[in-house]
Structure formats: structure tokens, C-alpha cells
Amino acid sequence: MFLYCFDDRNQRACHGLLAVPGPVRKLGPVADTDSPDGPWGLDAFSGCVLGRDGGGWRAYVTAYHKDRAQFDQSRPFLCESDDGLTWTRRGLVEFRRMPEGFQGYLKQPSVLRLDDGRYRMYVWFHGQYRGQSVARLCTAISADGCVFEIERFDPPILHHVNELKRWGFEPGLTPNEAFEAHQKATESDTSDELLPLKRLRSNDSTNLFRVPRTGQVILYGVLFIPNPAGSPRREERDNARSLLRIVTRRTSDDGLTFSDPQIVLVPDELDPLDQQFYYLS
């Protein structure tokens, strides 16, 4: 795996990395959140770039509305380039068949090309749905890569830990004790549905790839382990200070049902104590 960095201070503190100068020339941002034109700030985090039929490139990023009162309009956004150097903004991705009753924004698209030529987008929904707060990874399908129809929303591909709450991460409780406490506070007729959902917990730092030869889809995401008060790995300024992020890998043959997460990147005894892994791309 190659990592391209403009500042190697953090890398010098990591174990197992070999620094190799590469033929990289910094040309400036393609898009950023502080651009002066229009209502949108563009963010490429957990976005993707695909080759276009006939040549050139298409980038899927997230357009966040700069007006907080209209933030729920934030959606994936298209940029295109003939040479990969000069990019043109094409506009917001259009979504059809949105789930009835959903109010919120969509972010961080991963788009894959299927064998039949269609495009499948994996995108995070954040907002309200039927009176409940939701944060989930869903899918949408497109024939042209510009107009998508929602394919999979309920049930989703993954749930953000904030939607499922922090089962198993409560300070002072083992995972089983925490889950039992949650069950006691939940109606008995739904408790059997909760346990299978635990394997679908993630955050929204996901990146997906498809192996053309086999069609297998690989999902790199984040899972959490407890990071209790008093731990030397804990950082009180963190927005999830009771959790320690590690990177996992899931696979799917059909792109819709994924395996249990397999841990692939976790701090070891040679890493800095406060080392966490937020995503893998």
C-alpha cells in the first residue's frame, strides 16, 4: 500500500512505514470547502474517482451547503476532467425514489462500476426517518452515473454507531453486560432483532472497491474498541473519546450483503499510545 504525504512528521512516529520519495507534484486543490463560488463547499473525503467511458475522469465528492439552515440539502457532487489535472464542476448528483419520510443530507459517496455497465453508489444518509434519528450506509443505482435511484435504504448496508447507540462501549461494562442493559430497556419483542445489528456497526469513514476479475466488493471501514477513562490512549478532546478506532475489512459477493468485519489495522506496542486509524483508502 502506498501513502502519499506532504508532511511526514506523523509518519516518522509510526512503526513499519518505509518512506520512498515518489514522482509527485503538488498542483493545488481540485475542490475544497472554502471555495468562494456558489453555495457549496466541496469535500473529497471518502469520495472516489472513476474513469469515464471514452477517456477522462469523474470524481464524486460531497457538496456541503454553506448555509447551516440549508445543510440538509448537502448531497454528492460531480466533477469531471479530461486529463486528471483540470477539473470542471458538473453539479449535484440527482437522486430519485428517495425514502418517503427521510429528512436529512447525503455524504461521502463510493461509486463502483458493475458488470452490466451500471453504477452503484454507496452513500451515507444522516437525518430523521419516521421520527427516529438515522445514520446509515445505503445504495443507489444509475445507468449513466449522474442520475441515481435509491436501491437499498431499509435495511441499510451498515449502521453508524450513533444510530444504534453505543452498545458494548459503555464505561465499566463488558459488551455483553452493556447489551443486556440495553435489552432490559427495550421491549421484549424487539430484543431478538438487536443482536444481529451489532455486526453492522461502523462510522461513516468507509471506502469501497470492486475486484473486476471476481466481482467481489471490498469495504474498508472503522470499528471501535473500548477506550475507558484513565486509558493512556484516551484523548478527552476527541468527539468519541470513549472509543478507539481500528480499521476493518468486509467483503461481499453481491455488493449488498457483507461479511463480518475482519480487523486489518490496529495500533500495536510500537505505535504511539494515542495512535488511532480513522479510515483506509
Side-chain angles (χ1 to χ4, degrees):
M1 180 178 66
F2 293 94
L3 301 175
Y4 289 96
C5 308
F6 295 108
D7 185 333
D8 67 350
R9 285 175 295 179
N10 290 332
Q11 282 68 42
R12 290 200 301 267
C14 294
H15 167 66
L17 288 181
L18 177 64
V20 179
V24 177
R25 183 161 56 102
K26 186 176 181 179
L27 300 175
V30 172
D32 59 62
T33 56
D34 297 322
S35 56
D37 53 320
W40 307 108
L42 303 186
D43 189 345
F45 177 72
S46 282
C48 66
V49 177
L50 293 183
R52 296 182 310 196
D53 293 341
W57 306 91
R58 177 181 291 157
Y60 294 87
V61 300
T62 303
Y64 292 106
H65 206 290
K66 296 177 182 178
D67 182 354
R68 296 298 300 182
Q70 302 183 66
F71 194 78
D72 280 357
Q73 296 182 27
S74 302
R75 294 288 188 273
F77 193 96
L78 286 176
C79 299
E80 291 189 316
S81 172
D82 292 331
D83 59 7
L85 301 176
T86 303
W87 292 80
T88 301
R89 297 181 177 205
R90 296 302 186 195
L92 293 175
V93 174
E94 181 180 345
F95 289 94
R96 298 175 179 174
R97 295 178 58 194
M98 288 286 287
E100 185 176 352
F102 172 79
Q103 293 182 320
Y105 60 96
L106 283 64
K107 63 187 289 192
Q108 297 172 195
S110 283
V111 181
L112 308 180
R113 197 74 185 269
L114 305 180
D115 288 337
D116 61 8
R118 294 183 302 165
Y119 299 79
R120 172 174 284 146
M121 177 186 290
Y122 297 82
V123 60
W124 282 91
F125 281 66
H126 286 260
Q128 297 291 318
Y129 177 62
R130 296 179 178 175
Q132 301 292 324
S133 177
V134 297
R136 50 182 57 180
L137 181 64
C138 306
T139 64
I141 285 288
S142 171
D144 62 4
C146 300
V147 179
F148 284 81
E149 291 191 354
I150 302 304
E151 176 189 33
R152 180 86 171 263
F153 176 82
D154 193 16
I157 304 298
L158 294 176
H159 292 271
H160 194 286
V161 66
N162 286 344
E163 179 178 346
L164 294 184
K165 312 308 177 188
R166 293 181 177 176
W167 304 343
F169 305 126
E170 289 77 357
L173 296 179
T174 67
N176 285 338
E177 289 171 341
F179 187 67
E180 289 171 1
H182 186 90
Q183 284 182 311
K184 291 178 181 178
T186 306
E187 296 181 10
S188 58
D189 61 347
T190 63
S191 60
D192 290 341
E193 301 174 7
L194 301 180
L195 187 58
L197 297 181
K198 294 182 72 176
R199 62 181 290 275
L200 301 181
R201 287 179 300 188
S202 179
N203 72 356
D204 51 18
S205 299
T206 53
N207 292 278
L208 292 97
F209 308 90
R210 186 173 183 269
V211 181
R213 182 175 59 84
T214 64
Q216 185 181 65
V217 178
I218 299 173
L219 186 160
Y220 290 107
V222 170
L223 199 62
F224 307 94
I225 56 178
N227 196 16
S231 166
R233 296 187 181 275
R234 187 173 168 111
E235 172 53 68
E236 295 302 326
R237 294 171 297 178
D238 197 311
N239 67 339
R241 57 185 179 272
S242 64
L243 310 178
L244 185 67
R245 300 167 182 86
I246 58 177
V247 172
T248 65
R249 177 182 184 269
R250 307 172 194 250
T251 61
S252 172
D253 290 332
D254 63 3
L256 297 174
T257 302
F258 283 81
S259 66
D260 289 337
Q262 171 194 12
I263 296 174
V264 296
L265 198 57
V266 64
D268 63 21
E269 69 277 4
L270 297 178
D271 282 312
L273 279 176
D274 60 353
Q275 177 71 54
Q276 296 197 41
F277 296 107
Y278 284 74
Y279 66 97
L280 180 61
S281 176

